[in-house]
Amino acid sequence: MLKKEEDFIENLNTVKRINTSFVIASATIKTARNGKDYLEFSLTDKTGEIIARMFPNRDAHDIFENINQKSIYAVTGNVDEFPRNSQNFSIKIDSFQALDEGEYHLDDFIRTSGKDQEELIDEITSTIKGMENVYFKTLLKAFFCDPEFSQEFSTAPSAKIHHHNYQGGLLEHTVEVLQICKTACQIFPQLDQDLLYTGAILHDVGKLKAYDYDLISIDISSEGKMLDHLFISADMVKEKINSLDMDMPENLQTLLLHMVLSHHGEVRNGWGSPVDPKTPEAVALHHADNLDAKVKGLIQKLKG
């Protein structure tokens, strides 16, 4: 049974009754002000994510125990807007039931980038080809001339929740950050172009290990929870540098690794950077990354 167009999450922008299918991406038990337990869900389909709540007449814990998270369910309930005229929509669930294979079309739930992956990869490879710095060029080719790496990089998500949280999101986010950095180099020709572009392309490479994902769900991996993608990214870059058949100068290694570790901005922000951005290229990368993440995150929120 195909989902109707009006039942996709991106189109749930009016108060109405629904009977359709979603992935239960996550479920938790919460307690209302009156002391009664209720269930809160994150529901997804290929167009986005929406919060749903269920206020059952029976024990919420009994219902919770029987939920198979990351599975597809038929959901009956109402789309509500609160506060009124806020465009903040959620679902109040009356009932839900697990669906068997054959009762849904998987393509309705696979969230993917809407951009052409070949064009995005071409943006990266053409940028590498045009570099003059032999060390950065060789490093990037060591990553992207590996078909297995390129395939994984092209399909990985960039986040679990906030932005580009779908298959192909990492590649899309990386190229958008790269494009912002190219504009920055036009405005500020003093920037080391090859250094900045290399940092842009590799700043989130650790997300390949920081997330576990399948066709319908994304989770932070055990390694991602313990180490965070900034450290994993820097570690992957350092490991690749050490594997090269040439000695990259220590100052270039330090400048590049600094950019990767500081791209979430000043330490006091609490966004995960262990060190403040201290070079013009590191500052440019931080703001390019933040601009793309924040704008894309809001676009997804308004759309979903």
Side-chain angles (χ1 to χ4, degrees):
M1 177 180 67
L2 284 169
K3 279 173 68 84
K4 296 178 182 177
E5 192 65 29
E6 63 266 24
D7 289 335
F8 282 105
I9 289 171
E10 67 178 3
N11 297 323
L12 297 183
N13 52 14
T14 57
V15 175
K16 65 177 182 179
R17 186 78 176 162
I18 59 166
N19 181 12
T20 187
S21 50
F22 301 100
V23 176
I24 294 184
S26 65
T28 55
I29 298 175
K30 295 194 172 182
T31 303
R33 292 180 180 177
N34 62 9
K36 290 186 177 181
D37 291 333
Y38 69 95
L39 295 161
E40 183 168 290
F41 303 87
S42 171
L43 304 180
T44 64
D45 61 27
K46 69 178 183 180
T47 68
E49 182 175 10
I50 191 168
I51 296 298
R53 298 175 182 89
M54 184 179 190
F55 301 89
N57 294 322
R58 58 190 181 92
D59 189 352
H61 290 265
D62 288 343
I63 299 174
F64 178 80
E65 290 298 325
N66 290 303
I67 296 172
N68 187 9
Q69 297 186 39
K70 303 176 187 175
S71 295
I72 298 171
Y73 283 77
V75 174
T76 300
N78 293 296
V79 178
D80 290 330
E81 181 185 22
F82 184 82
R84 293 301 178 198
N85 301 316
S86 67
Q87 294 296 300
N88 183 24
F89 293 93
S90 61
I91 297 174
K92 183 178 180 182
I93 297 177
D94 294 332
S95 64
F96 60 89
Q97 183 173 349
L99 295 177
D100 295 324
E101 288 187 29
E103 294 184 291
Y104 58 82
H105 286 257
L106 190 58
D107 287 346
D108 288 340
F109 306 96
I110 301 174
R111 303 176 66 188
T112 60
S113 169
K115 295 190 175 182
D116 188 299
Q117 288 187 338
E118 289 189 11
E119 290 183 3
L120 295 175
I121 282 290
D122 285 346
E123 179 75 20
I124 290 177
T125 55
S126 64
T127 300
I128 297 171
K129 186 177 181 180
M131 286 186 174
E132 295 181 359
N133 186 300
V134 66
Y135 298 105
F136 294 144
K137 190 171 190 174
T138 301
L139 171 63
L140 289 168
K141 288 175 71 174
F143 278 107
F144 286 92
C145 287
D146 178 348
E148 185 176 339
F149 172 86
S150 292
Q151 177 62 30
E152 187 179 2
F153 195 87
S154 297
T155 56
S158 184
K160 178 180 178 181
I161 298 173
H162 300 294
H163 68 93
H164 299 85
N165 54 332
Y166 41 76
Q167 288 193 39
L170 176 58
L171 175 60
E172 183 180 323
H173 170 61
T174 298
V175 171
E176 287 168 358
V177 171
L178 176 61
Q179 290 171 334
I180 294 170
C181 288
K182 289 183 176 183
T183 299
C185 286
Q186 293 176 0
I187 300 170
F188 304 106
Q190 301 91 341
L191 291 169
D192 184 327
Q193 179 174 295
D194 286 357
L195 172 62
L196 180 55
Y197 294 174
T198 303
I201 293 170
L202 296 178
H203 77 283
D204 271 350
V205 69
K207 288 184 175 180
L208 294 180
K209 297 181 179 181
Y211 293 103
D212 292 327
Y213 63 97
D214 55 29
L215 291 177
I216 58 177
S217 67
I218 303 169
D219 275 323
I220 301 175
S221 68
S222 296
E223 189 174 357
K225 291 174 183 176
M226 297 295 287
L227 299 178
D228 191 80
H229 77 275
L230 278 82
F231 174 84
I232 299 171
S233 296
D235 189 55
M236 289 176 66
V237 171
K238 181 65 173 177
E239 183 179 6
K240 187 66 72 175
I241 290 172
N242 290 339
S243 73
L244 299 177
D245 292 329
M246 66 174 186
D247 294 323
M248 181 183 290
E250 286 293 332
N251 69 309
L252 292 184
Q253 295 187 42
T254 299
L255 288 170
L256 178 58
L257 293 172
H258 170 71
M259 292 174 66
V260 173
L261 290 171
S262 67
H263 80 262
H264 275 195
E266 296 182 355
V267 175
R268 66 182 181 183
N269 292 338
W271 295 342
S273 287
V275 63
D276 294 347
K278 291 181 171 64
T279 65
E281 292 78 17
V283 171
L285 177 59
H286 160 59
H287 287 290
D289 174 67
N290 193 43
L291 175 64
D292 187 57
K294 290 295 194 301
V295 172
K296 183 64 175 185
L298 185 56
I299 289 172
Q300 287 183 221
K301 182 179 180 180
L302 293 174
K303 185 178 179 181

